Amino acid sequence: MRIGVVTFPGSLDDQDARHAVEVCGGDTIPLWHAEATVQGVDAVILPGGFSYGDYLRCGAIAHRAPVMDAVAEFAREGGPVLGICNGFQVLCEAGLLPGALTRNANLRFVCRDVPLTVEATDTAWTGRFSQGQTIVIPAKHGEGRYVADPVTLDRLEDEGRVVVRYAFGSNPNGSERDIAGVTNAGRNVVGLMPHPEHAVDAGLMGGTDGRGFFDSVMVGLPV
Amino acid sequence: MSDTSTSPFPPEETLTPERARELGYELGLRGDEYDQLLAILGRVPTVAELGMYSVMWSEHCSYKSSKLHLRGLAHDEPWVIAGPGENAGVVDVGDGIAVAFKIESHNHPSYVEPFQGAATGVGGILRDIFTMGARPIAVMDPLRFGDPGGWTDGAGVEHPVDPLQRHLIDGVVRGVGHYGNCVGVPNIGGEVEFDDTYAGNPLTNVLAIGVMDRERLQLARAEAPGHLAVLLGSATGRDGIGGASVLASQEFDAGLDAKRPNVQVGDPFAEKLLIECCLELYERDLVSGIQDMGAAGIACSTSELASAASMGMDVDLDRVLLREPSMESWEILCSESQERMLALVDPEQLEEVQDVAHRWGVPAAVIGEVVEGDALRLTRNGQLIADLPARSLADEGPVYDRPRSRPAWLDAYAEVAAESLDATLVGGTLEAADGRPGRSLDEVALQFLASPNVASKRWMFEQYDQHVLSGTVLGPGMADAGVVRLPNSRRAVACSTDGNGRWCEIDPVQGTIRVVAEAFRNVACTGARPLATTNNLNFGNPERPEIMWQLAASIEALGAACRQLGVPVTGGNVSLYNETQGQAIHPTPVIGILGVLADAEDALGLAFEDEGDLVFLLGAPTVPGLAGSELQRWLGAPLGGVLSPADLELEAAISEVLQEAAREQLVTAAHDVGTGGLLVALAEACAAGDIGAEIELEGELAGLSPTQQLFSESPGRVLVTVASPNVKDFAELCADAAVPLTDIGTVTGERLTVRGLVDLELEALRDALEGGLTELLGG
């Protein structure tokens, strides 16, 4: 079982994502933005960071990188894909997830541990959580305010595709309906703003509540 | 001397003797410096040469006022691998791992353009770190601003909102955050102080830490003739030209806006790529020497690389990638465009170097070649435009023994009756209260905890990524020092930065010693062994004898304290001319101390954790300590008094005790009693752990006034908590080390009570401490 972690120019949490998978007992390989292949991996993580500096709209350049053609193909075939922070932004830009991430409501970068409620446990990345479970993991972003038109938001809620929501009163960025992460119709692609990869190692700040994302995907993968 | 008709230089580079002297003066070269330059060259300099000398001989690049005094800092310990003179200090932390660290200032640019000034300050110090071969793993940011206003002090005086200060605070914090967040290096701490001494001259100091295999150390040398000088990174533009001489080495007056083009513009994305590119080049052993381009750009990096190896260099400016082709030669040489490095490469490996650079999207241009001899020769359009001894630029600049005189104002400060202040009286004295009634200590405590200098700096550090690189064990606000685990190791480093302009203003010698002691103690409070020091000396205009006296006295005290504590100074930065309109800042040496923990899991935080743990004061007895204190400032009382001295022998013993206690897991938390005194230390530990404490002060402590008991900043004290089964062992450890230990209470409940003095609800305390600054500065 191998999980590929994509590195775009300006990816920052790519080594962190690999560390997290390995802490949870998985193997990882690096995937390079300029190569249009996912190298036969069993799951893909698009990590956090500032791809291409994010001087344009976040993720707008990254989603045109050659590797994204392969990731989109992999996702269409049902392969598990997790986008964290910048990775979530890239997935939205690529049309693999609905909605968009805009500047935080207070127009400041925020780095803070946030409590989340896990709402969907039928995705490739959240099966090990129980529905309604509260977890605390770090958020750190300047453009994490989830927005979509009301019809899309209603549909996401109706179809149970809001994966994690900021706990009441803890929305750090003004996201609509406190949405912190969503999934696609196939439940194999998940994007979220907070960073589960920074909450896996008991020796570091951030706690260990993020492990469930990586544990979940590995349960569903061939050993 | 020169005859322009037979000059080997093109006409646009040639100056008449009169014009050359005049231009030199405009660029900041004083009369005697210009004569020194004439003697070195034996002819009139070209425009390019004049530009280069003016920048390289500026205070910022040459340290001409401080050099004599800095020599006294030198002292070695076996674990120091690289010391002053290199881009950053490097220490051996064991297990074959070396750690580079250094602090640098970007004060003047941050006043002119706070966002870019602060951002490029982060970029610059990161390049110093990876120039040494190390991957940057953390930054810290000691900042100083004027009072933001919008609050009422302990004299009942309303401080009006100061829009300029708020603009500076907002811009600098955004700048530090933007660059660090986007380049992907976690911010693990720092400190912030607001005082109107900095209103016209804020301080932006940034410290960075990097890690490498011990044998990976890169030194800035041009070892072999024939090696090529490769400029890696961004194209060269007109930004930041003369930044070093014009901004950093002169005081400000009106007309700030005209200086804006001298501030550089940062591109953290380019820096991230440059870091990855350089680290891969080191990993594959493809460079023989490397130097970052900071102040004075190409002029500085070429001359320093050549000078360090006693070689020469031929440089062709036509090969430099330019943003604007119309740039003059001297502009190309002195440009401070960011995110550039100069690497020396064996010609046989050039292709491989270019491949690595290409993979990371980093432009690479061969701009020169190392040659025998000592001449730095530069050509443009095929014509020679400068020909000078490399060493004369880099290492043979002017050195001054500037006149010093003890400031008369020190006597006036010593006369101030600081120790009789009463916090319950408005303004601290009966006289100041002017008939107004006293107030309860509870009321005082909550107001004090919410005041800008005491309240948590959460508003700042929540704008910084603290997690990236998966190494942060204890981040901002969690411990007295930031703690980062080293990659692929159990080891961790702890680092603290400290400064106190008020202490150093009333007594530069004792103030500096106390700041060193505090940084040392903060590192020790995490259980780490303090190893080495870096320093950022922020002072006023050294041409004034009183300022020069402050600087020399502070450096001497710094050297002596570091020697005694066994934490050698491995480098640092001197920032002078921190004055605006003739008003100098308080002397503000900022000290960074780095320590190591053999096991990251032993690291101690400051939070009270477990119900029933016993609370102790470890170390020196509490003595009157309100001179220069935070309480004195908050009460609006005049600055002054006599600083109670630090006992460095005791500090060293406290550090040994804390290291042993951390290793043996005898203590659950440790927190320095620092700014604001015992009350603040207790409140911080309670708020961080979300638990209360019942404290009772007896013995010597009870003999002091309530104000002294709660607010004295007398040095050498640490708050520790110990679970009851470990009390006996811990007491024995302290007794063996002859470090006094006083039982003062218990961790318990949801109130912080100091019997007979204050009784605060945890929630109210936390709202004050953690919400104070956010309320002031806004979402």
Side-chain angles (χ1 to χ4, degrees), chain A residues 7-17 19-20 32-33 35 49-55 103 106-113 138-140 195 197-198 201-206, chain B residues 170 173-174 178 180-185 266-270 272-273 359-360 458-459 461-476 478 485 600-601 777-779:
Chain A
T7 298
F8 299 103
S11 288
L12 303 177
D13 299 308
D14 46 346
Q15 300 310 314
D16 308 66
H19 173 71
W32 186 245
H33 66 97
E35 292 164 11
F50 287 72
S51 52
Y52 301 89
D54 280 344
Y55 292 128
R103 287 191 73 187
N106 73 354
L107 305 183
R108 287 183 194 284
F109 189 94
V110 62
C111 175
R112 181 189 301 161
D113 287 354
K140 45 164 210 178
H195 289 256
E197 83 282 19
H198 289 315
D201 186 331
L204 303 177
M205 66 185 286
Chain B
D170 184 68
V173 171
R174 279 182 195 277
H178 167 70
N181 296 342
C182 190
V183 81
V185 179
D267 178 355
F269 172 58
K272 167 70 179 172
L273 300 178
R359 179 173 144 85
W360 287 106
R458 180 172 298 277
W459 183 85
F461 64 69
E462 280 195 347
Q463 297 186 49
Y464 308 143
D465 184 342
Q466 304 156 29
H467 300 272
V468 62
L469 301 178
S470 290
T472 312
V473 177
L474 294 166
M478 296 173 70
R485 194 174 66 196
E601 289 189 7
L777 298 175

Side-chain angles (χ1 to χ4, degrees), chain B residues 243-266:
Chain B
S245 57
V246 180
L247 284 180
S249 306
Q250 288 176 18
E251 39 186 288
F252 283 160
D253 44 32
L256 263 184
D257 286 351
K259 300 201 174 189
R260 192 161 293 135
N262 288 336
V263 178
Q264 312 87 329
V265 176

Side-chain angles (χ1 to χ4, degrees), chain B residues 158-170:
Chain B
E158 224 172 280
H159 293 226
V161 168
D162 184 333
L164 171 63
Q165 295 310 316
R166 286 170 178 239
H167 161 74
L168 294 171
I169 294 165
D170 184 68

Side-chain angles (χ1 to χ4, degrees), chain B residues 28 30 33 57-60 64-65 107-108 200-201 203 244-253 400 402 537-544 547-548 551 574-585:
Chain B
R30 294 161 21 145
E33 292 174 346
W57 285 8
S58 69
E59 187 67 56
H60 183 78
K64 57 194 172 192
S65 300
N107 301 340
H108 284 160
N201 197 118
L203 304 183
S245 57
V246 180
L247 284 180
S249 306
Q250 288 176 18
E251 39 186 288
F252 283 160
D253 44 32
Y400 295 125
R402 297 199 187 273
L537 304 171
N538 306 282
F539 285 76
N541 178 352
E543 293 164 44
R544 288 167 53 196
I547 303 289
M548 197 57 223
L551 176 64
V574 181
S575 170
L576 302 178
Y577 298 92
N578 288 293
E579 308 205 349
T580 296
Q581 295 174 346
Q583 196 60 44
I585 60 163

